Structure formats: C-alpha cells, structure tokens
Amino acid sequence: MGEFVIFLASLAAVLVLALVARLLRLGGGSIADAAEAMREAEAQLPGFDAERALVGSDGQAALVHGRDGSVALLKMHGTQVAARRLLAPAIRQTDAGLLVASGERRFGEVLVRGIFEAS
C-alpha cells in the first residue's frame, strides 16, 4: 500500500510541474503569423526591411522576403525565434514543404512545413 501512495504522489507531482510549465509558457513556441515573422526578422537582422513572409503550417519556421530582394530564414529555438539572412538561398521542395539550407552548420537545414513555393 505504501508503494502505491508514493506512486500516486509522484504522478501528481509530475502533473503539477507540467501544468506550471504550461502556464509559464515554458517549452515550445511558435511563429504565429506573417506579421510576427516580419517583425522578428527586422528586429534581429540589422537593416532588414521585410516585405512579406511565408510561415510554416506548424509555426516552427518562416521565410521572410525583404524589399531589397534578400531573404531571411527564421526557426524556433525553444521558445525563442532565431533568424539568419540568407546570402544564396538553397531551397529544395519536399513532400512536407520547403527545405532551406541556411549555409551554417550550426543553424542547419530548416523545413518550412506546408509551404511549397518560395516566392
């Protein structure tokens, strides 16, 4: 009987911690819409002037086109948005969406899910 009580108490503690994490918005985030993607690109990339954005269907990545023809790649990194300006975008279409090579090993390739045209 004592082991069962300990099990229930542990389970309750885990559920309470999960609830607290959710209420504090800890964990995964997402890019809500094109306007947010454009704001993030402009805030993180000096001199970038966003014209339009394509946000993945899961909100985990976005391509932002600048007025000067440049392109920014955004991806979620935990709850934060990471952004990179792409000098020579290498974009490949897959069944899931566009796979964009950032040109940086640490940033990697990013899947913009549900988007099938870069323009």
Side-chain angles (χ1 to χ4, degrees), residues 24-88:
L24 293 175
R25 301 181 123 206
L26 301 175
S30 66
I31 302 167
D33 56 21
E36 180 182 350
M38 293 180 355
R39 280 192 306 273
E40 285 289 343
E42 291 178 340
Q44 292 189 40
L45 303 171
F48 190 83
D49 188 18
E51 182 174 38
R52 60 191 172 78
L54 303 168
V55 180
S57 59
D58 59 358
Q60 296 300 297
L63 276 175
V64 183
H65 296 271
R67 295 191 191 285
D68 62 358
S70 61
V71 177
L73 176 62
L74 278 58
K75 75 173 183 176
M76 292 304 302
H77 184 72
T79 59
Q80 304 297 317
V81 177
R84 295 293 187 273
R85 189 183 309 254
L86 301 178
L87 299 177

Side-chain angles (χ1 to χ4, degrees), residues 3-13:
E3 289 178 11
F4 184 67
V5 171
I6 292 172
F7 170 75
L8 288 179
S10 297
L11 182 62

